[in-house]
Amino acid sequence: MPLEPVPLGFVFRSRAKEEKAPADKAPVNFSKQPRDPQAPKGRPTPKRSEAQSQRRSVAHTPTTRKDAAKRQREERRQALERQRQALAGGDERYLPVRDKGPVRKFARDWVDSRFNVAEFFLPLAVVILVLSVVRVPSIQALALWLWLVVIVLIVLDAAVSGFRLKKRLAERFPDVNRRGAVAYGLMRSLQMRRLRLPKPQVKRGERP
């Protein structure tokens, strides 16, 4: 059976045209929505506020150990300043751990609302010390008795105050951990009112 001749055009056809053909048939995107030329491909353009915050975070990131130490010192200074203001104003957010919580606040207010013998210890101690250096035996004996009286009064007042504070805390916070609150209040009662930190938030005689 005789073979039919193969057309020369089939043999010498350009492959470049065959490779370009699928590209010509590729789907064309007719979307009319313009794309931001500065936006990365495949990601939306970030908002201005987000971009500014990212630039600030990059700018404030310490690049050396010296910069990191300087930043830590600044943050520590700001934390101490916030704590100092909290001790003066009673802001619970920045108080030290030992002063935080409603139990400790109630103990402070209860102590600040009454007179405590121990808070007058320093003025009385100065008076007694002055009397004790006088070269008069009777005055020196009086100073010694005053020492004993003051110490006994402080101990009795602390015992009564501790018992009453413990009772009030149990009534006010029956289901809350009250550990250390009584000792916290008694230590506060040993300080003069104007030197107490956090500063007193109630007046004398005012019921907390």
Side-chain angles (χ1 to χ4, degrees):
M1 181 177 180
L3 298 176
E4 296 181 0
V6 180
L8 295 178
F10 177 79
V11 177
F12 299 100
R13 186 169 54 185
S14 175
R15 293 186 178 181
K17 294 182 180 181
E18 294 180 355
E19 294 176 354
K20 290 182 180 180
D24 297 338
K25 298 179 181 180
V28 181
N29 186 8
F30 294 99
S31 176
K32 297 181 180 180
Q33 182 177 0
R35 188 177 71 87
D36 190 348
Q38 297 180 356
K41 186 176 181 180
R43 289 186 294 173
T45 305
K47 296 182 180 180
R48 179 177 297 180
S49 59
E50 296 177 354
Q52 291 176 352
S53 64
Q54 291 177 358
R55 286 196 297 268
R56 283 196 297 266
S57 63
V58 172
H60 291 292
T61 302
T63 56
T64 63
R65 183 178 300 180
K66 183 177 179 180
D67 294 338
K70 182 178 180 181
R71 182 176 181 181
Q72 289 179 356
R73 287 196 300 269
E74 180 64 19
E75 291 176 352
R76 185 164 55 250
R77 186 192 65 79
Q78 293 177 359
L80 291 175
E81 178 62 21
R82 288 194 298 266
Q83 188 177 104
R84 186 189 65 81
Q85 295 178 358
L87 290 173
D91 192 344
E92 284 280 336
R93 295 175 298 173
Y94 304 113
L95 286 177
V97 177
R98 66 180 181 85
D99 298 314
K100 283 186 177 181
V103 176
R104 299 299 175 95
K105 184 178 186 307
F106 179 84
R108 291 197 304 269
D109 293 343
W110 189 87
V111 171
D112 296 337
S113 65
R114 61 190 300 273
F115 286 94
N116 304 276
V117 178
E119 65 180 291
F120 302 105
F121 173 76
L122 288 179
L124 291 173
V126 173
V127 173
I128 295 173
L129 184 62
V130 171
L131 293 177
S132 63
V133 298
V134 177
R135 298 295 182 175
V136 179
S138 59
I139 296 179
Q140 290 180 346
L142 177 62
L144 180 60
W145 280 105
L146 285 176
W147 271 120
L148 294 176
V149 170
V150 169
I151 292 175
V152 170
L153 288 177
I154 290 176
V155 172
L156 291 177
D157 183 66
V160 174
S161 298
F163 176 78
R164 293 179 58 189
L165 178 58
K166 184 177 181 180
K167 183 179 179 181
R168 291 295 307 278
L169 288 172
E171 294 174 353
R172 181 66 66 90
F173 307 98
D175 301 325
V176 180
N177 184 12
R178 304 182 298 275
R179 184 177 180 180
V182 175
Y184 172 79
L186 292 179
M187 290 298 296
R188 186 175 178 84
S189 67
L190 296 176
Q191 303 170 351
M192 298 180 65
R193 181 181 174 87
R194 66 178 59 186
L195 300 179
R196 293 172 183 171
L197 291 175
K199 293 291 186 182
Q201 303 295 317
V202 296
K203 299 179 180 179
R204 294 193 190 272
E206 184 178 352
R207 188 181 180 87

